[in-house]
Amino acid sequence: MYNAGNYDMAVIGAGHAGIEAALAGSRLGLRVICFTINLDAVGNMPCNPSIGGTAKGHLVREIDALGGQMAKSADKTSIQLRMLNRGKGPAVHSLRAQSDRLAYRHLMKQTLENQQNLVLRQAEVIDIGVSDGRVCSVTTATGGVYHVRAVVLCSGTYLDGRVIVGELTASSGPDGLSAAIGLGARLSSLGLDMRRFKTGTPPRISLNTVDLSKFEVQPGDEDVYPFSFESEHPPVNSAVCWLNWTTEQTHDIIRANLSRSPLYSGVISGVGPRYCPSIEDKIVKFADKPRHPLFLEPTGENSAEMYLQGMSTSLPEDVQVAMLHSVPGMENAEIMRPGYAIEYDCINPLELYPTLEIKKIGGLYGAGQFCGTSGYEEAAALGLVAGINASMKILGREQIVFDRANSYIGTMIDDLVTKGVTEPYRIMTSRSEYRLILRQDNADLRLCHIGHGVGLISDERYRRCLDKYERIEDEIKRVSKVVVPPSDLLNELLVSRESAPVSSGVRLYDLIKRPQLDYKSLAPFDPDRQELTLDIQSAVEISIKYEGYISRQRSQVQQFGRMEAHRLPDDIDYASIAGLRIEARQYLTKVRPASLGHASRIPGVNPADIAALIIWLQSRKHAEMTSEKSGEAHE
């Protein structure tokens, strides 16, 4: 062993979580060292070559609003952008980018390399030193001991990783990279509750061996929105994806080989994500479905390697070949990388505070798949929060707790640290009670002030954000005053859009409020129309069309805030509180909620338990006031 130097923060892992954590710390002026098992894996996309998607796109926008990196890199390396769920309400509109996998990786590595205060190091961390209940060092396999004040664990799927393809099992991380062996056992020895999860990927096939004439083209959008609020020009759609379907023959092949599936033979012990099942799981659980969609996605502009979304599998390689050849257009498809399952260790997130600091060890934080999540976007969001809070602790500043009412980041963290996980967690719009307020288009309004307060958003960017929302409010006021007179041309438009004609003047505000109409269609009737960017037009329309619903959700947020304002002391002895059921006492002691609102969301805690807590708080407050008055009288 040798003394390798002193740093403020060590980040273990340089995937999507590690990148955000390391950049946050170094951009806040701390000396950070970021470790990766392989420098060529920085920012790697071992699964699908995309950023965003339903709810995930919201996270990317929130990361950007806080001063993170993912959105900017996604914009610069995107080859196709689509806004998903356009046929539904704005709460579920979500941006998704098909990325050039190699370009994204190179850009992220370059960003870390050129970041002031940041050292990027290829090394495997095998030990975390703890002294007096606080983290104090990390040790690498080559004997370097790095003395640190905080550590952020972003181990992804590397921690005691095991890859499974049919009968083959091998100690490995994703994409054939080395696994991190031993660190998981060390964490267990420190008293942390560890879990075993698994995820998987589909086979990658050569585009040169596919007959695309038998596929349906999936182009990008005509009106392209960037992820980053700072991107001045939207990315250009330069690639397409293709859609196809499994066949009955595909299903017969899978059913005939279930006995060889590691998923059903007991070889795989880790728990997989329910919302991203393998193809063999789909065939078993949805036996009535005659076909399942398959999306052929390019991994880059200069690569023939294609990702076959929808066919994640760990079946033997010969079965994978037969499955592919049963799909029209892939009769001669050649596998470049077989699909595989990967098992890995992660922590029970009930071990974490909402700041993502581990309760048992001061200065040790978790992020990404180490916390029991799945997905690049979830990882990046957690990495950013962990990096910010580790920095705040080192700098002696108040750590940031995101809540369910201000972000999907807060929703995700609250779910993790309050409910725990029994499978890899995936963010979804349905997880939020306030999704009409937590839209992807207004993430900057919701979070830029936090990023600015922390120090990751510049004064200039924050001013631009405030100016943008002033323009939105000004436009809403303007259209509420504009009266459009009745005319044959206007009524012709209204009838063609299946909207009621008018016989007298009508406010432009009320016309925009109609679901069949929008800015573009009403432009000829608005002589004082302002030249507005697409994002401002969209924000104005949403504010007007959903005014009543938004107002109702804001009232719910205020009620949520009142519950959160009832703080619970850290030193509560729940076992001594009369009226609490035994089950509630156990859960409350384990989670140690920060507020009544937090306590109310813990599984196993019911309204009667919350009432008992309220009575206890009132009694405690009364006792404290009585004690203070007694002390004053004595003086």
Side-chain angles (χ1 to χ4, degrees):
M1 300 295 176
Y2 72 99
N3 185 348
N6 299 315
Y7 293 85
D8 292 311
M9 183 194 306
V11 177
I12 302 175
H16 304 281
I19 286 170
E20 298 293 349
L23 288 175
S26 56
R27 287 170 175 171
L28 290 171
L30 301 182
R31 192 158 183 253
V32 178
I33 184 164
C34 180
F35 296 98
T36 175
I37 280 183
N38 193 313
L39 283 172
D40 296 327
V42 173
N44 188 29
M45 296 181 178
C47 196
N48 55 317
S50 67
I51 298 292
T54 302
K56 293 172 178 283
H58 292 64
L59 288 180
V60 180
R61 281 287 182 87
E62 291 181 354
I63 290 166
D64 186 69
L66 290 168
Q69 184 63 35
M70 175 175 268
K72 296 179 180 64
S73 295
D75 285 345
K76 290 178 180 177
T77 60
S78 167
I79 56 179
Q80 186 197 75
L81 272 163
R82 295 178 67 195
M83 186 70 75
L84 305 185
N85 304 320
R86 282 182 182 266
K88 301 179 181 179
V92 296
H93 291 177
S94 297
L95 196 60
R96 183 181 189 270
Q98 201 66 33
S99 295
D100 188 311
R101 183 186 182 203
L102 187 61
Y104 187 91
R105 203 170 73 206
H106 285 171
L107 178 58
M108 281 302 200
K109 182 170 182 281
Q110 185 181 53
T111 302
L112 295 185
E113 290 171 340
N114 294 330
Q115 175 60 46
Q116 188 178 4
N117 303 320
L118 177 58
V119 174
L120 183 61
R121 180 69 50 82
Q122 178 170 304
E124 180 186 351
V125 174
I126 60 171
D127 192 19
I128 294 175
V130 177
S131 177
D132 295 326
R134 288 190 52 82
V135 68
C136 62
S137 66
V138 297
T139 302
T140 65
T142 51
V145 179
Y146 299 79
H147 300 278
V148 296
R149 300 166 67 186
V151 173
V152 183
L153 277 161
C154 309
S155 51
T157 59
Y158 287 85
L159 208 57
D160 287 326
R162 185 175 72 137
V163 162
I164 303 112
V165 182
E167 292 84 9
L168 169 70
T169 63
S171 174
S172 176
D175 282 341
L177 296 166
S178 299
I181 305 300
L183 183 58
R186 170 57 176 156
L187 294 172
S188 293
S189 74
L190 290 171
L192 304 185
D193 182 11
M194 303 297 289
R195 299 287 175 87
R196 191 75 171 165
F197 279 176
K198 79 99 181 173
T199 188
T201 71
R204 322 296 165 88
I205 61 178
S206 170
L207 178 62
N208 300 326
T209 61
V210 177
D211 180 1
L212 293 176
S213 67
K214 298 180 180 179
F215 285 69
E216 179 184 331
V217 177
Q218 299 277 293
D221 289 340
E222 291 184 12
D223 295 330
V224 178
Y225 291 82
F227 270 117
S228 176
F229 292 99
E230 288 197 286
S231 293
E232 296 182 0
H233 304 288
V236 176
N237 283 332
S238 59
V240 297
C241 300
W242 292 270
L243 169 66
N244 210 327
W245 301 83
T246 60
T247 65
E248 190 56 42
Q249 184 186 358
T250 313
H251 299 189
D252 289 341
I253 291 168
I254 293 170
R255 282 190 284 263
N257 287 279
L258 283 177
S259 62
R260 300 178 65 195
S261 168
L263 192 63
Y264 289 95
S265 66
V267 172
I268 293 176
S269 59
V271 181
R274 183 190 323 173
Y275 301 102
C276 188
S278 65
I279 188 66
E280 52 265 42
D281 218 15
K282 291 179 188 177
I283 301 308
V284 171
K285 292 181 178 177
F286 306 104
D288 58 319
K289 286 189 174 289
R291 62 178 190 168
H292 294 277
L294 301 173
F295 296 92
L296 195 62
E297 302 176 341
T299 62
E301 285 190 296
N302 300 309
S303 175
E305 186 179 358
M306 305 298 290
Y307 181 88
L308 190 59
Q309 175 146 271
M311 198 177 267
S312 176
T313 184
S314 57
L315 282 162
E317 191 170 315
D318 59 300
V319 181
Q320 294 186 34
V321 171
M323 286 159 48
L324 289 173
H325 290 176
S326 68
V327 177
M330 293 199 289
E331 294 88 348
N332 300 305
E334 293 182 3
I335 291 179
M336 296 181 72
R337 308 186 201 210
Y340 62 86
I342 183 168
E343 291 185 333
Y344 56 94
D345 287 346
C346 56
I347 196 171
N348 178 353
L350 292 179
E351 296 270 18
L352 305 171
Y353 289 117
T355 59
L356 300 183
E357 186 176 19
I358 292 174
K359 296 174 182 177
K360 295 173 182 173
I361 303 172
L364 182 60
Y365 292 76
Q369 286 177 279
F370 177 75
C371 298
T373 61
S374 68
Y376 310 146
E377 303 80 7
E378 291 89 340
L382 294 175
L384 179 59
V385 173
I388 288 173
N389 282 329
S391 301
M392 294 298 99
K393 184 159 190 172
I394 291 170
L395 294 169
R397 296 169 58 187
E398 184 177 357
Q399 297 185 65
I400 308 297
V401 174
F402 295 85
D403 64 48
R404 304 184 72 87
N406 72 8
S407 59
Y408 273 93
I409 291 176
T411 302
M412 172 173 60
I413 293 175
D414 187 67
D415 283 346
L416 291 171
V417 305
T418 302
K419 303 173 184 176
V421 291
T422 55
E423 62 187 39
Y425 177 97
R426 177 179 179 175
I427 193 66
M428 294 179 287
T429 53
S430 60
R431 294 192 188 274
S432 173
E433 310 92 313
Y434 314 112
R435 55 184 175 271
L436 191 51
I437 291 176
L438 305 184
R439 304 185 310 274
Q440 53 94 31
D441 64 276
N442 68 0
D444 52 346
L445 172 66
R446 294 184 280 111
L447 298 175
C448 255
H449 68 284
I450 296 177
H452 180 252
V454 166
L456 292 176
I457 296 290
S458 68
D459 291 342
E460 172 61 21
R461 180 178 175 186
Y462 186 48
R463 184 191 63 77
R464 290 199 305 270
C465 175
L466 296 179
D467 287 348
K468 170 186 170 182
Y469 283 94
E470 282 183 16
R471 291 199 301 274
I472 291 170
E473 290 302 318
D474 288 345
E475 178 64 3
I476 292 173
K477 291 176 183 176
R478 185 189 74 83
V479 299
S480 68
K481 296 176 182 177
V482 174
V483 177
V484 180
S487 67
D488 292 341
L489 191 62
L490 175 61
N491 283 329
E492 183 180 327
L493 169 69
L494 296 178
V495 171
S496 70
R497 294 292 184 98
E498 298 183 348
S499 185
V502 297
S503 57
S504 61
V506 59
R507 291 192 308 163
L508 182 58
Y509 183 99
D510 294 321
L511 289 175
I512 294 173
K513 201 175 187 70
R514 296 189 181 191
Q516 306 93 334
L517 305 177
D518 53 31
Y519 259 97
K520 190 174 180 179
S521 62
L522 292 169
F525 310 99
D526 184 9
D528 299 322
R529 184 171 182 262
Q530 308 293 307
E531 286 298 324
L532 302 173
T533 56
L534 285 175
D535 59 335
I536 291 180
Q537 286 185 36
S538 176
V540 172
E541 286 187 0
I542 291 170
S543 296
I544 292 174
K545 290 182 185 296
Y546 295 88
E547 178 187 17
Y549 297 103
I550 291 173
S551 177
R552 189 180 309 157
Q553 285 212 339
R554 283 177 177 157
S555 297
Q556 294 170 349
V557 167
Q558 290 175 353
Q559 183 179 358
F560 168 84
R562 288 192 289 269
M563 287 290 284
E564 293 300 301
H566 286 279
R567 310 305 291 176
L568 295 175
D570 293 333
D571 59 350
I572 294 181
D573 179 11
Y574 290 103
S576 66
I577 298 179
L580 282 180
R581 296 171 304 112
I582 293 176
E583 181 185 21
R585 292 175 181 178
Q586 292 172 343
Y587 280 110
L588 288 165
T589 299
K590 186 171 186 178
V591 176
R592 306 213 66 81
S595 67
L596 275 180
H598 189 186
S600 70
R601 297 188 295 275
I602 298 173
V605 176
N606 65 28
D609 299 316
I610 298 300
L613 277 176
I614 291 173
I615 293 170
W616 181 86
L617 284 172
Q618 291 172 340
S619 300
R620 174 167 166 148
K621 184 177 181 180
H622 177 73
E624 289 174 348
M625 292 176 63
T626 303
S627 177
E628 287 177 3
K629 289 180 180 179
S630 175
E632 290 173 0
H634 179 72
E635 291 175 0

